[in-house]
Amino acid sequence: MSARRALVTGITGQDGGYLAELLLADGVEVHGLVHHEDALAAEFARTHPEAVLHPGDLADHAGLRALVEEVEPDEVYNLAGVSSVAFSWEHPVTTAELTGVAAAVMLQGALAVQERSGRRVSFVQASSSEIFGEASTFPQDETTPVRPVSPYGAAKAFAHHMVTVYRGKGLHATSCILFNHESPRRPPTFVTRKITAAAARIGRDGHGTIQLGNLDARRDWGWAPDYVDAMVRAARHATAEDFVIATGETHTVAEFAETALRRAGVGDDWRRHVEVDPELLRPVDTPLMVGDAGKVRRELGWQPTVGFAELVAQMVDHDVELLQDR
Ligand code: GDR
């Protein structure tokens, strides 16, 4: 039997890289869509020579559909799109196009491959806790109403609903509703990496501040490699369903900053190094997001392997090492 084939969009991102590595280690033939102008593509190709990269554009619907049909994947992981909630407020239309509409194109392509080949095609949508918006129940699970409050959340909600629509048409389509998940590969546009990169510098220099927005936002931060593992388990599950992927534990942005600064050696003085910049506050920012991952634990045997303190420590230590290498 020939190797299983996977098509990953967003392969050069944080999750894409971990996912590609997991699939390649499992003997899967990995194909990835990369944007023509993706600055990370050359480095990704160098570090993952076994992966087959296809230049393309999420906004080119005909090209996207043709790619799915050409690769004829057994598994599709749709990770691409605008991933920053903050950015989506500036660019709501682009977000709708890349995070929402492109998912519909991918689903259409996957169903066409399944119908033509007669083989099951598993489709995993990287959905997001942002689809719940300001939820009124805590923790959030697969039955929580979808009620986004950001352009990003609305685009993800559209994709999420389309997964259900295509599941109804016979595609093995799954939404993994991912809560925040971090790693040393997170870009500094996200609050965790912004904090750990700054904490490493402050630890080294003994001075400096981290400019932040909402310090009181409470998030359920998990370890990104655990979340891609959940996506692969979902793709291979007997039935296609939605799964919340989360740790169930929350911390505030301030707690993240404190833990990171302490890890970097700043000690009780950490408060002096954190400042609020009102420019960084969002028009709407959900105060608390926490997920109930009971279903994925029960049905897929998944569980998080890295807790909050270790996650922060790994990110800070990585940033300290980067500074030493300079
Ligand atoms: P989020 O991640 O929007 O939750 O989306 P982000 O790390 O950007 O924000 C988390 C929380 O921190 C607050 N915050 C700041 N955020 C940023 N980026 N910069 C700051 O300076 C800052 N100060 C405070 C934010 O207001 C927010 O409350 C992530 C992404 O990975 C999405 O793709 C994914 O779908 C969701 O998580 C689940």
Side-chain angles (χ1 to χ4, degrees), residues 25 99 102 114 149 273 275 297:
T99 301
Q114 174 166 296
V149 293
H273 300 283
E275 278 177 12
R297 285 173 184 261

Side-chain angles (χ1 to χ4, degrees), residues 14-15 81-87 126-131 150 152-153 156 177-182 186-195 210-221 252-254 275 277 280-282 284-289:
Q14 167 187 260
D15 295 358
V82 169
S83 62
S84 161
V85 179
F87 176 93
S127 191
S128 162
S129 52
E130 281 287 316
I131 65 172
S150 66
Y152 170 86
K156 281 284 188 192
I177 307 167
L178 307 168
F179 281 63
N180 299 57
H181 47 288
E182 317 297 314
R186 212 30 159 160
T189 40
F190 296 92
V191 77
T192 53
R193 187 72 194 287
K194 177 176 175 178
I195 291 172
I210 316 176
Q211 302 286 323
L212 294 170
N214 184 3
L215 291 181
D216 300 323
R218 218 168 237 290
R219 290 290 179 274
D220 179 336
W221 279 296
T252 61
V253 170
E275 278 177 12
D277 176 354
L280 295 169
L281 296 170
R282 297 183 185 173
V284 181
D285 196 30
T286 309
L288 165 65
M289 302 240 72

Side-chain angles (χ1 to χ4, degrees), residues 158-224:
F158 170 72
H160 185 79
H161 289 311
M162 287 302 274
V163 166
T164 313
V165 169
Y166 274 77
R167 188 184 303 150
K169 293 190 80 176
L171 187 67
H172 188 283
T174 292
S175 263
C176 284
I177 307 167
L178 307 168
F179 281 63
N180 299 57
H181 47 288
E182 317 297 314
S183 76
R185 298 187 190 175
R186 212 30 159 160
T189 40
F190 296 92
V191 77
T192 53
R193 187 72 194 287
K194 177 176 175 178
I195 291 172
T196 61
R201 277 195 306 277
I202 295 167
R204 181 194 59 184
D205 301 343
H207 61 83
T209 53
I210 316 176
Q211 302 286 323
L212 294 170
N214 184 3
L215 291 181
D216 300 323
R218 218 168 237 290
R219 290 290 179 274
D220 179 336
W221 279 296
W223 178 236

